[in-house]
Amino acid sequence: MSKSLFSSTLLLGLALLVAACDSSSNSDNSDPVVAQRVTELPADPYTGFAPSGQPITAGIYTFFSLRTNSIVAATDSASNAWDVAFKGTSILVNGGISGPGNGAAQVLNDVFSDIKIAPASGWAQDSVTGFAIPTGSGNGWYNYEPSTFTITPIPGRVILIRTADNRYAKISILSYYKGQPAIPDRTSESRFLTFDFVFQPDGTLSFE
Amino acid sequence: MCPLNLIILNNLSQMRTFAHISTRKVRIGLCVLITFLVISPSFGQNNKSAPPSDSLWFIELPVMVVTATKSAIELRDVPIPTKVILGEQIRLRGGLRLSDLLSEETGFLQIHYFGSGIQLQGFDSEYTLILIDGQPVIGRNGGTLDLDRFSVSNIERVEIVQGPSSSLYGSEALAGVINLRTRSATKPLAGFASHRIQSNGTRNSNVAIESIIKGLGSRFNYDRYSSDGYDLSPDVIGLTGPSFVTHTSTARFDDTFGEKVTASLGARLAIQNQSNVIGFDQSGVELSFEERFRQKDWSLSPSFVWKFSPKHRFTFRGHLTSFDSHSELDDTTGHSVVQFNQGYQKAEVQHDLILPRGLIVNTGAGLIGEFVEADRISGGARTNQTTFAFSQQQWFPWNWLQIITSGRLDRHSDFGIHFSPKAAVMYKSAGSLRVRGSIGSGFKAPSFQQLYMDFTNAVAGYTVVGASDVAGALQNLESLGQIQAYLTDPDTFTDILPETSVAYNLSADFDLTSRIQVHISAFRNNVRDLIETLPVAAKPNGQQVFTYVNLSRIYTQGLSTEITAQPFRSIHISMGYQFLSAKDRRVLEDIDQGIVFGRQNGRDYRLSRSDYGGLFNRSKHSGTIQVAYTSPDKHTNIQIRGTIRSRYGYGDLNGNSILDAASEYVKGYLILNTSFTRDVTSRITLQAGVNNLMGYTSPQFVPSLSGRQLFAGLSISTN
């Protein structure tokens, strides 16, 4: 009992800390739904260079739980423990061909904070014809600029997530680079995602 | 006289200090214009007794131009607005390459993208057709036909038609046509030699010989242009501007056979060699590559004119040309070569029917064969054919009115038939006023790349296939198990079409006084079916297959004005201003739908139309000014010329792909060039000057601009 009290206190403390640190979060502490920021989450970063000079990666997705705001071990990829997974610019949801859960997603064009309620329809799961969060420049959450070799998140693209266990979340990706440079160049270290998200644990579509 | 003089000087000195204040300098430019408009009438009266101008600066009438109508018409009487830069102006300005010359004209903005191109009426340089003696020049790289390839030493004059001329010239003539007319022999025997030295180890040598023997005129010209290059960013490996050597040899023969037949043959061979070291830092390891680049073009253009009778004239023209580029890259891991060859052959016949009662009918037809060979072309090499026919009616119903109607049919082996019509009218007052208006259609055929590309990026894994081969290529990829899913139903693919425009041009020319001439024009281009890449299928590796489709619609519109004045016999001033607005219609629709956003400090906001800055690389305001002094004995000419442009979009930084944030703009700038020309004797001329007098550079955004350039040259002619 004392152990669970300890962890509850820790969680509350963490939540308060996150809430205190994040300027975009609701100041009302009684509100259970707060915007949280994940900073520079490695999404299968480069590990070195091939003899040809081409950069190489491990090729492994980073599995992530929105409920706990933490990385889930890749060994748990066949469970409902994770909600989204990141590898470079690709994002998986825990559903369809990607996982055992009921996860789905859709991408909306709107201001992140203006989305007060998740849509009831329009959800897609990862399938052989494509991911629920489309890949490719301009299709999903990012644009690729060939002249500078840079990936830039598209303003106003909000990723709506249905988790493995039918909870709803919204994500706004802010940066693809380590150090979150305002203007990345070809020397910026890529495949590190910074994003804001709101997770609604009660199973409703509301983000308030 | 004095007040005006002072005002000019004041404004000039003001303009110097406004180099870095983009919004204000335009107002200053306008002030200069307005000042002139306001004070010039009274000023003109002061000079009423002055004799008509005979300065070299004024176009000596009658100048006959051919580009606008494919037939010789006096410049002031051609219903389609035509600008002429005469050889004497070219000589006195002291520019070396065509890019130097054109970038000093109002409404011509130099854009550096795989070479020096010219933006005209807000169109990228790939939409302007470049001709040498009426025949097309080939060899575009990234759409740009590099104007640095052309020496001005052999150009007798440049004729420029703004607005579409596809109804006579076919593909590429959307924004305009620039026709370089080369020199022909005018003397029994003459020679010319010049040499010039310039900053950055830049050298230019030119030798020309001409003769007329028994009616056969021959002219040979050789031009060597070289530079050691320049480095604006010494901390970066390699030069900003690479070193190069360019050789250009041309020959032209003109002959007459009896009274009725004239023949001419033009030939050109140009070779450019360029080398540079390029390098970058990869995770603390400096990688450097040695790059060698060689490009070559040649052409052979015979033509015959047969004056069958006063009413009938036939012209036969042939054009055989080839362009190839070869680049080699050496690094620690090996040696790679990229090769591109292109060929173009054309034969055409034109009949001119000159009827009394003011009607001229020009009718023509011809064949074009094109050839391309490159690594990224499907099958390695491809050919295509175009047959075309055009007709033009020039009506002169009354002295005060001229009407031109024209149309051209192009039948292309890949995209079928395309029709380009145009109509133009000109009203001539009894005085100096000319009002010209036209409605016309222009088109640009899909490029080789858009038609025939077959390229898979070995690193990223995506594939691009040309529109001509997309159905077959997708089938092939599917049979290899390389198609995960179709993003577009392959059965719904329609054939790729040319990019087309409908253009409206209106202009007025008049003499405000005997010494002040005014040109005002307005243009609007509605462009549709612009070709873009579209993902059509997903590959198992998560990447996509792209092809080229007709997607975008844009418009460009603007106003421009040019004023030339000769306040004193020895002073010639010309000023120009252009206002330009060029926007993507799809972006405007998306903004209206509220689905385009900006981002500031991690916060997103909906964009409104006023946030949208239009297409990249377009300056809303641009202008030119030229002031020249010619000594009374005509032996000395001093000039100062400026070009100014307001800020323009460089690239998207905030992810929405469009120009909206202030950080996405490049600051406007002013470039001043000066030249001093002195004819020491009738045979010897000295020239010196400074280009980019204020030394403006911007290594990041305008690397093509090399800073202050001093030059001095000597030329000798046999006379």
Side-chain angles (χ1 to χ4, degrees):
Chain A
M1 184 163 167
S2 67
K3 200 177 172 184
S4 78
L5 182 69
F6 171 75
S7 51
S8 305
T9 316
L10 188 70
L11 268 178
L12 183 69
L14 272 176
L16 284 173
L17 194 66
V18 169
C21 291
D22 196 326
S23 60
S24 64
S25 64
N26 274 310
S27 56
D28 183 3
N29 283 345
S30 64
D31 191 334
V33 184
V34 291
Q36 304 178 74
R37 177 163 295 179
V38 175
T39 303
E40 297 171 28
L41 179 76
D44 189 31
Y46 295 117
T47 54
F49 294 93
S52 66
Q54 296 303 330
I56 48 176
T57 73
I60 298 168
Y61 278 91
T62 301
F63 296 89
F64 192 82
S65 167
L66 296 169
R67 179 187 289 272
T68 63
N69 188 359
S70 61
I71 293 173
V72 175
T75 47
D76 287 336
S77 65
S79 76
N80 278 4
W82 63 277
D83 302 313
V84 282
F86 303 94
K87 187 177 90 175
T89 56
S90 300
I91 305 175
L92 306 181
V93 291
N94 193 343
I97 60 163
S98 297
N102 195 36
Q106 58 183 301
V107 179
L108 297 185
N109 272 317
D110 208 339
V111 174
F112 182 69
S113 55
D114 288 356
I115 300 176
K116 312 284 190 198
I117 189 157
S121 61
W123 297 94
Q125 292 195 312
D126 294 352
S127 73
V128 289
T129 58
F131 294 150
I133 301 160
T135 56
S137 178
N139 302 328
W141 64 269
Y142 66 91
N143 269 319
Y144 175 65
E145 176 50 52
S147 65
T148 53
F149 309 98
T150 50
I151 295 280
T152 314
I154 303 170
R157 292 286 169 95
V158 183
I159 300 168
L160 277 287
I161 298 286
R162 187 174 76 204
T163 65
D165 55 353
N166 296 310
R167 300 296 189 273
Y168 293 91
K170 58 178 180 178
I171 298 175
S172 172
I173 298 179
L174 302 173
S175 172
Y176 186 64
Y177 294 91
K178 205 172 194 173
Q180 306 166 52
I183 301 170
D185 57 36
R186 56 189 301 172
T187 63
S188 306
E189 205 173 335
S190 67
R191 303 168 84 95
F192 289 90
L193 291 167
T194 297
F195 56 90
D196 283 342
F197 75 94
V198 170
F199 176 75
Q200 172 55 273
D202 69 4
T204 66
L205 295 165
S206 170
F207 291 122
E208 289 186 302
Chain B
M1 283 183 211
C2 286
L4 176 69
N5 208 3
L6 275 175
I7 285 162
I8 296 167
L9 288 171
N10 273 340
N11 282 323
L12 267 177
S13 61
Q14 278 169 357
M15 285 179 86
R16 271 194 202 109
T17 61
F18 278 98
H20 302 291
I21 308 164
S22 57
T23 48
R24 286 183 65 188
K25 70 190 170 195
V26 171
R27 282 185 212 138
I28 291 298
L30 273 174
C31 283
V32 178
L33 287 184
I34 290 161
T35 311
F36 255 89
L37 283 169
V38 171
I39 67 166
S40 48
S42 60
F43 184 69
Q45 280 166 9
N46 293 343
N47 285 275
K48 241 175 189 167
S49 56
S53 153
D54 55 358
S55 158
L56 291 167
W57 270 89
F58 273 122
I59 292 165
E60 295 161 49
L61 295 177
V63 169
M64 303 299 277
V65 293
V66 297
T67 314
T69 59
K70 276 196 172 181
S71 51
I73 291 189
E74 197 180 310
L75 180 62
R76 280 181 80 100
D77 285 338
V78 62
I80 292 158
T82 303
K83 180 180 237 171
V84 174
I85 311 171
L86 292 172
E88 185 61 8
Q89 288 170 279
I90 298 172
R91 180 181 82 98
L92 294 172
R93 286 194 207 174
L96 293 176
R97 313 307 285 182
L98 185 59
S99 47
D100 302 333
L101 189 67
L102 293 180
S103 61
E104 292 185 340
E105 295 297 316
T106 307
F108 287 64
L109 286 103
Q110 194 165 4
I111 305 293
H112 208 82
Y113 179 74
F114 290 105
S116 295
I118 284 291
Q119 181 189 93
L120 195 55
Q121 291 202 347
F123 280 95
D124 282 335
S125 68
E126 59 194 297
Y127 299 94
T128 296
L129 179 65
I130 312 278
L131 307 171
I132 296 180
D133 291 323
Q135 298 301 333
V137 180
I138 61 166
R140 289 179 183 268
N141 192 357
T144 302
L145 201 139
D146 185 3
L147 300 177
D148 289 339
R149 275 167 55 194
F150 308 102
S151 162
V152 300
S153 61
N154 197 37
I155 297 174
E156 188 180 27
R157 73 165 84 153
V158 181
E159 292 182 10
I160 299 151
V161 175
Q162 295 197 45
S165 292
S166 289
S167 64
L168 291 179
Y169 293 98
S171 179
E172 291 182 9
L174 271 98
V177 176
I178 298 170
N179 187 7
L180 315 179
R181 297 186 60 186
T182 62
R183 292 179 189 278
S184 54
T186 54
K187 292 178 180 130
L189 186 64
F192 172 89
S194 72
H195 185 70
R196 160 152 145 176
I197 58 170
Q198 190 170 314
S199 309
N200 299 334
T202 303
R203 302 286 180 268
N204 189 74
S205 310
N206 179 236
V207 183
I209 298 169
E210 64 178 57
S211 72
I212 301 176
I213 301 166
K214 291 181 181 168
L216 171 67
S218 315
R219 190 171 204 280
F220 301 90
N221 190 82
Y222 168 74
D223 186 276
R224 184 185 185 280
Y225 173 50
S226 66
S227 175
D228 295 341
Y230 58 90
D231 199 357
L232 301 176
S233 319
D235 49 324
V236 177
I237 306 163
L239 298 175
T240 313
S243 65
F244 60 83
V245 182
T246 301
H247 306 271
T248 311
S249 303
T250 58
R252 181 169 160 165
F253 307 94
D254 298 275
D255 207 349
T256 52
F257 301 94
E259 293 281 288
K260 292 191 166 175
V261 177
T262 58
S264 74
L265 176 67
R268 167 185 159 93
L269 172 66
I271 297 169
Q272 183 180 33
N273 284 301
Q274 185 178 304
S275 65
N276 198 6
V277 174
I278 52 174
F280 53 90
D281 194 297
Q282 197 172 53
S283 301
V285 184
E286 255 181 21
L287 296 174
S288 70
F289 306 87
E290 197 186 327
E291 187 187 42
R292 286 184 303 280
F293 178 70
R294 177 188 168 91
Q295 65 183 20
K296 186 175 86 180
D297 75 86
W298 61 262
S299 67
L300 213 53
S301 314
S303 74
F304 301 89
V305 179
W306 179 32
K307 287 173 188 140
F308 177 77
S309 73
K311 279 185 184 173
H312 295 277
R313 186 174 62 182
F314 293 91
T315 307
F316 304 89
R317 299 186 192 96
H319 186 51
L320 199 60
T321 181
S322 163
F323 171 83
D324 65 73
S325 75
H326 178 95
S327 63
E328 292 179 47
L329 199 65
D330 283 320
D331 61 36
T332 47
T333 60
H335 177 80
S336 64
V337 176
V338 177
Q339 183 101 25
F340 177 86
N341 301 321
Q342 184 189 352
Y344 179 104
Q345 303 99 41
K346 184 173 89 169
E348 78 176 310
V349 58
Q350 180 179 328
H351 170 239
D352 302 325
L353 174 67
I354 299 118
L355 291 173
R357 297 180 176 276
L359 174 64
I360 299 173
V361 180
N362 317 98
T363 311
L367 296 165
I368 298 168
E370 286 178 278
F371 165 80
V372 63
E373 185 179 12
D375 304 320
R376 292 179 176 185
I377 290 291
S378 159
R382 295 294 283 262
T383 59
N384 64 43
Q385 293 78 40
T386 306
T387 49
F388 64 89
F390 64 86
S391 180
Q392 174 178 254
Q393 298 77 39
Q394 304 181 48
W395 314 81
F396 308 88
W398 299 282
N399 272 342
W400 53 271
L401 188 70
Q402 292 185 27
I403 301 167
I404 291 188
T405 51
S406 58
R408 171 164 157 148
L409 270 176
D410 283 84
R411 188 177 164 280
H412 189 277
S413 54
D414 280 286
F415 60 79
I417 291 174
H418 189 82
F419 179 61
S420 314
K422 182 168 179 172
V425 294
M426 179 173 80
Y427 162 79
K428 276 200 295 189
S429 77
S432 64
L433 179 67
R434 303 278 189 281
V435 180
R436 296 170 169 95
S438 71
I439 302 174
S441 169
F443 82 98
K444 179 179 174 298
S447 67
F448 289 127
Q449 174 186 325
Q450 289 159 351
L451 288 171
Y452 310 130
M453 189 150 178
D454 179 9
F455 172 66
T456 296
N457 185 308
V459 181
Y462 63 86
T463 299
V464 186
V465 275
S468 272
D469 308 318
V470 66
L474 286 172
Q475 270 175 20
N476 190 32
L477 284 166
E478 193 170 2
S479 69
L480 293 169
Q482 286 296 303
I483 302 282
Q484 179 93 287
Y486 286 103
L487 306 173
T488 311
D489 183 355
D491 296 332
T492 63
F493 284 143
T494 49
D495 288 340
I496 195 162
L497 298 169
E499 304 179 322
T500 55
S501 72
V502 176
Y504 308 88
N505 282 271
L506 186 66
S507 69
D509 291 82
F510 56 94
D511 298 345
L512 201 59
T513 73
S514 63
R515 294 186 164 274
I516 298 175
Q517 299 167 338
V518 180
H519 169 81
I520 299 170
S521 67
F523 59 86
R524 163 91 183 190
N525 296 286
N526 293 326
V527 193
R528 63 184 170 87
D529 291 332
L530 287 180
I531 296 169
E532 284 188 22
T533 52
L534 181 79
V536 288
K539 296 175 76 176
N541 63 2
Q543 295 295 331
Q544 289 165 328
V545 182
F546 296 88
T547 190
Y548 295 94
V549 292
N550 299 104
L551 265 185
S552 311
R553 290 165 298 130
I554 63 160
Y555 72 79
T556 78
Q557 61 186 17
L559 287 168
S560 109
T561 179
E562 282 174 74
I563 297 169
T564 55
Q566 197 172 19
F568 315 102
R569 205 181 152 98
S570 56
I571 299 280
H572 185 277
I573 299 165
S574 96
M575 280 185 298
Y577 165 76
Q578 177 181 266
F579 170 82
L580 173 69
S581 166
K583 291 186 173 169
D584 185 325
R585 286 165 176 267
R586 205 172 34 167
V587 171
L588 291 172
E589 284 164 15
D590 287 349
I591 288 173
D592 291 344
Q593 281 181 36
I595 56 169
V596 188
F597 298 82
R599 177 172 287 179
Q600 205 151 31
N601 304 324
R603 294 252 176 199
D604 295 353
Y605 54 93
R606 263 195 184 79
L607 293 186
S608 65
R609 275 188 177 230
S610 62
D611 294 319
Y612 175 42
L615 303 180
F616 292 104
N617 263 327
R618 272 78 177 172
S619 290
K620 203 175 204 177
H621 310 282
S622 61
T624 57
I625 182 163
Q626 306 182 352
V627 180
Y629 163 80
T630 308
S631 64
D633 62 6
K634 302 278 191 313
H635 293 330
T636 303
N637 179 282
I638 302 169
Q639 4 186 307
I640 180 158
R641 306 176 306 276
T643 58
I644 192 166
R645 64 182 297 186
S646 69
R647 67 171 190 167
Y648 57 95
Y650 181 72
D652 174 51
L653 293 177
N654 61 4
N656 58 13
S657 306
I658 67 162
L659 175 61
D660 61 313
S663 59
E664 296 171 346
Y665 287 91
V666 178
K667 277 199 300 189
Y669 54 87
L670 165 67
I671 302 294
L672 288 178
N673 298 331
T674 62
S675 60
F676 167 85
T677 310
R678 169 84 188 159
D679 295 328
V680 182
T681 72
S682 61
R683 296 180 178 191
I684 297 172
T685 300
L686 287 172
Q687 190 172 53
V690 185
N691 289 337
N692 193 0
L693 188 62
M694 298 183 310
Y696 175 80
T697 60
S698 172
Q700 191 185 356
F701 299 114
V702 201
S704 55
L705 209 55
S706 65
R708 192 176 292 114
Q709 297 270 300
L710 282 67
F711 67 87
L714 171 70
S715 60
I716 300 166
S717 64
T718 58
N719 240 1

